[in-house]
Amino acid sequence: MHGDETVGREILLHLIEFLVTSYRRDPVITRLLNNTQIHIMPTMNPDGFEATKVPDCYYTRGRYNKNGEDLNRNFPDAFENNNASIQPETQAVMNWIKNETFVLSANLHGGALVASYTFDNGNSVTGSSKGYSRSPDDDVFIHLAKTYSFNHASMYKGMGCDSRQTFPEGITNGYSWYQLEGGMQDYNYVWGQCFEITLELSCCKYPPADQLEKFWRDNKAALIEYIKQVHLGVKGQVTDRNGNPIPNAIVEAKGRPHVCPYRTNEHGEYFLLLLPGTYVINATVPGFKSMLKTVEIPDTTGNFSALKQDFSFSEVSIRSRAASCPKTPLYQDLERASAATKPTLHILVLMTVMLVIFK
């Protein structure tokens, strides 16, 4: 994403080579590839990479694209209007996210050693006043971050890159570290229905070439274990009485509402990353009664397949209309709605007190 943070670019090239050369030789990799659709984009900012001529551990102009824009401040933000001029690279990635059914992802950076998870921005709805911006799936994000950190050669130690910067267990909530708007991981989670974390892979942003092999060894197991986590939780298909898929049906776990509801894709498929446990899955086709199903989710990552739970709406025989969330600060609207209810509560309390007095 940042052209001068080169370790991620290089280890993804190593990952591609490792996957294709291990297929049919390594049973785990073979099962992983047979059961997982994997997309790898080694660089989002080729211009920034080309502009960085001399290796430098710190800040360089290669961080930005050719137009001088930071791509990790360039996405629509769920908390505030960042007035970003969407760059061609950003728009291409947004189109890619829209046209694929991504479930799990990571974006790779350098300059620190930590797995950071959403939210990067926040407001009172997500508890940012306490220095932590919590998503409805905070437990899953912590698990994902720890999966990477604990399988990395040293990230789990949480030492950071200097004495001022430590990360217990090698993970951090993005907002707790520092607030940013227009980040890719928040965009992916809110509008892409995809759980993304940010991986900071090296204290030195652009290290000497002779260190790259060690970086690959340090990250190899963590990358593979992280990819396996796409098989957590529950998946399935929503169909009508004729067995036809219903796109844009809302499917979410009760108690975990997303500000932009998670919907089925064009094939009527849904995917929800959830830790092992008991959940009530709520499927809703607009205009019809919701369908609830209780599921017991085991740890399915070793089987390379999430628990399957389908929904069939016998009274439905029409295709649901296309639905999308506006690219506006959705959590800002939710904050306003929350604030608007408070005076009503105060009035109700006052009326109750007055009734007691008059009695």
Side-chain angles (χ1 to χ4, degrees):
M1 176 168 280
H2 294 135
D4 62 337
E5 298 171 11
T6 56
V7 172
R9 172 191 176 104
E10 295 300 320
I11 68 168
L12 288 180
L13 295 174
H14 277 282
L15 176 63
I16 293 169
E17 181 182 39
F18 175 72
L19 291 175
V20 298
T21 57
S22 299
Y23 187 65
R24 293 182 178 171
R25 295 182 179 181
D26 183 311
V28 173
I29 299 303
T30 301
R31 289 189 67 195
L32 180 66
L33 290 174
N34 283 344
N35 294 281
T36 316
Q37 190 176 66
I38 301 173
H39 300 251
I40 300 174
M41 179 175 61
T43 182
M44 184 176 164
N45 187 357
D47 291 338
F49 177 74
E50 291 299 326
T52 311
K53 300 299 183 183
V54 180
D56 192 324
C57 286
Y58 302 102
Y59 186 84
T60 73
R61 66 190 182 99
R63 175 183 181 88
Y64 306 102
N65 75 344
K66 190 175 181 180
N67 296 330
E69 296 290 339
D70 185 332
L71 300 180
N72 204 36
R73 307 292 187 276
N74 196 238
F75 286 84
D77 192 88
F79 296 92
E80 53 195 296
N81 191 346
N82 58 345
N83 295 313
S85 175
I86 303 298
Q87 297 298 296
E89 299 93 334
T90 310
Q91 189 61 59
V93 169
M94 288 169 63
N95 293 342
W96 193 34
I97 293 167
K98 181 180 178 180
N99 293 327
E100 295 286 346
T101 305
F102 291 123
V103 181
L104 176 69
S105 62
N107 70 71
L108 279 55
H109 294 254
L113 191 63
V114 67
S116 173
Y117 56 91
T118 212
F119 286 115
D120 273 331
N121 205 349
N123 61 17
S124 62
V125 176
T126 60
S128 62
S129 59
K130 298 179 181 178
Y132 189 110
S133 190
R134 188 180 307 275
S135 77
D137 298 291
D138 193 63
D139 58 340
V140 180
F141 276 112
I142 290 172
H143 166 80
L144 292 172
K146 285 185 177 180
T147 294
Y148 199 93
S149 174
F150 285 18
N151 285 283
H152 186 277
S154 60
M155 187 182 289
Y156 67 95
K157 296 177 182 178
M159 298 301 292
C161 295
D162 58 49
S163 58
R164 297 167 298 171
Q165 191 182 68
T166 59
F167 302 105
E169 300 184 299
I171 70 170
T172 184
N173 173 252
Y175 187 92
S176 294
W177 186 10
Y178 63 91
Q179 180 185 7
L180 70 89
E181 60 185 61
M184 183 173 169
Q185 72 175 10
D186 286 5
Y187 176 84
N188 241 323
Y189 175 63
V190 173
W191 284 288
Q193 303 188 183
C194 176
F195 287 49
E196 175 162 297
I197 68 173
T198 298
L199 297 172
E200 301 277 355
L201 300 178
S202 62
C203 295
C204 182
K205 292 188 174 188
Y206 195 143
D210 61 8
Q211 294 182 16
L212 292 175
E213 183 65 34
K214 182 180 186 304
F215 280 118
W216 164 240
R217 293 197 304 269
D218 288 351
N219 287 276
K220 177 181 174 182
L223 286 165
I224 298 302
E225 289 304 313
Y226 185 77
I227 293 172
K228 288 181 184 178
Q229 304 312 302
V230 76
H231 299 295
L232 278 174
V234 61
K235 65 182 180 182
Q237 189 179 38
V238 180
T239 56
D240 65 14
R241 66 187 179 198
N242 298 315
N244 297 316
I246 302 177
N248 299 307
I250 298 172
V251 184
E252 298 191 308
K254 286 194 72 175
R256 294 170 181 259
H258 298 98
V259 67
C260 180
Y262 278 24
R263 298 175 180 270
T264 54
N265 63 16
E266 62 180 334
H267 306 294
E269 299 167 331
Y270 74 92
F271 303 86
L272 296 176
L273 291 185
L274 296 164
L275 299 184
T278 303
Y279 301 87
V280 176
I281 308 301
N282 185 346
T284 304
V285 176
F288 297 87
K289 187 177 180 180
S290 295
M291 189 177 295
L292 304 177
K293 291 192 178 181
T294 301
V295 296
E296 184 70 36
I297 296 178
D299 182 355
T300 51
T301 56
N303 299 327
F304 299 97
S305 178
L307 178 72
K308 200 164 189 303
Q309 178 63 68
D310 295 330
F311 292 85
S312 179
F313 283 80
S314 58
E315 71 274 27
V316 180
S317 61
I318 56 172
R319 294 178 67 86
S320 180
R321 293 179 180 178
S324 62
C325 281
K327 301 300 186 293
T328 59
L330 298 172
Y331 273 96
Q332 195 176 82
D333 295 338
L334 201 60
E335 186 177 45
R336 289 196 194 102
S338 176
T341 63
K342 290 178 182 178
T344 306
L345 292 173
H346 293 159
I347 292 168
L348 287 171
V349 171
L350 181 60
M351 288 175 64
T352 303
V353 171
M354 290 178 69
L355 284 169
V356 169
I357 292 172
F358 285 122
K359 283 184 178 180

